[in-house]
Amino acid sequence: MKTAFNFFIVLIVSIGLVACSAEDGDIGPPGPQGEQGVQGEQGPQGEQGSEGEQGPQGEQGPAGEDGVDGQDGQDGQDGEDGNANVMYSDWFFPDWNMSDLVRFKRMEVEDSNFSDTWLEGGATLVYWRTNNGSTFLLPWNSYNTAGNLVIERSVIYRSSTSIWITIKKYGSDFTAEETEGQVGGIIRNRIRYVIIPGNVNLPAKSALDYSDYDAVKAHYNIPD
């Protein structure tokens, strides 16, 4: 009973001391900031998953069957040969049947295909070929080294059926090699003519060099 009383006395005194304590003092300065904690290490990254393999490519299907060929069209008719009417003689030797002098010779060549109609707008070409194969369109003249005329060769259209071929020499007489077709087994001089009607290849003919025998032969398909 006494012990309980003493405890009661002590409790009352404690409460009184608290109630009668002096005023609270000023708040002291804040203490120093504590050290920052160490950041934990990042855990290892997980491995990336592997990419799946590509599946095999499908096989190419078989090629389709070829279509049926169409029927061939009918061949067109061949056009007319634009050079079909061109005429020409064989090569022939001179034959001085009208005049056979030492400085003047003339021959007449007859052909029913020489016509006034064809000569008007057409052409009759006379070529002279020497022993070395050189071929010249008449008229054709020869000169000496001084530039003087030595031999003159010409052609005259006499009628619708004949032409005259003439050769003249100045200053001296002819040699056989200058006027004859063959001397000592060697061919020296030959002549041929080509008749081109006015209705044959007129546009091309205007641009064709008649003095170029090889060009004329090729253009009109003339055999040599």
Side-chain angles (χ1 to χ4, degrees):
M1 186 69 177
K2 183 178 181 180
T3 302
F5 177 79
N6 292 336
F7 175 76
F8 179 74
I9 292 298
V10 172
L11 178 61
I12 292 174
V13 172
S14 298
I15 295 172
L17 290 174
V18 171
C20 297
S21 64
E23 296 180 359
D24 294 334
D26 295 334
I27 298 174
Q33 185 175 359
E35 294 182 0
Q36 185 174 2
V38 179
Q39 184 176 1
E41 295 180 358
Q42 184 175 1
Q45 184 176 2
E47 295 181 358
Q48 184 176 1
S50 59
E51 184 177 358
E53 296 181 357
Q54 184 176 2
Q57 185 176 2
E59 296 182 357
Q60 184 175 0
E65 296 182 358
D66 293 337
V68 180
D69 293 338
Q71 296 180 354
D72 294 337
Q74 296 181 353
D75 293 337
Q77 295 181 353
D78 293 337
E80 296 183 0
D81 187 356
N83 301 330
N85 294 330
V86 173
M87 289 165 284
Y88 46 86
S89 71
D90 294 328
W91 289 103
F92 56 89
F93 294 146
D95 178 16
W96 309 114
N97 52 23
M98 295 190 68
S99 179
D100 192 8
L101 303 177
V102 294
R103 296 189 181 186
F104 180 90
K105 299 181 184 295
R106 174 172 289 168
M107 63 182 294
E108 183 179 32
V109 179
E110 293 184 307
D111 190 323
S112 60
N113 294 312
F114 297 141
S115 70
D116 294 336
T117 301
W118 287 357
L119 293 175
E120 293 175 3
T124 298
L125 311 174
V126 181
Y127 294 96
W128 187 300
R129 175 171 286 181
T130 64
N131 66 305
N132 64 2
S134 298
T135 306
F136 302 93
L137 175 67
L138 297 184
W140 167 47
N141 299 328
S142 299
Y143 300 85
N144 59 22
T145 56
N148 300 319
L149 178 62
V150 176
I151 300 177
E152 179 182 3
R153 305 169 186 84
S154 62
V155 58
I156 300 173
Y157 302 95
R158 286 295 299 167
S159 68
S160 62
T161 60
S162 69
I163 59 175
W164 286 357
I165 299 174
T166 303
I167 183 170
K168 299 178 183 178
K169 188 169 183 180
Y170 299 90
S172 62
D173 297 343
F174 284 118
T175 64
E177 289 78 10
E178 292 170 336
T179 61
E180 300 305 315
Q182 188 169 350
V183 179
I186 300 176
I187 296 177
R188 293 292 180 176
N189 300 283
R190 289 177 292 167
I191 299 171
R192 87 178 308 183
Y193 55 84
V194 178
I195 301 172
I196 305 173
N199 62 350
V200 174
N201 279 353
L202 288 178
K205 188 176 67 177
S206 63
L208 184 63
D209 182 4
Y210 288 150
S211 65
D212 187 342
Y213 172 74
D214 289 333
V216 172
K217 180 181 66 174
H219 183 79
Y220 292 111
N221 299 319
I222 300 173
D224 202 19

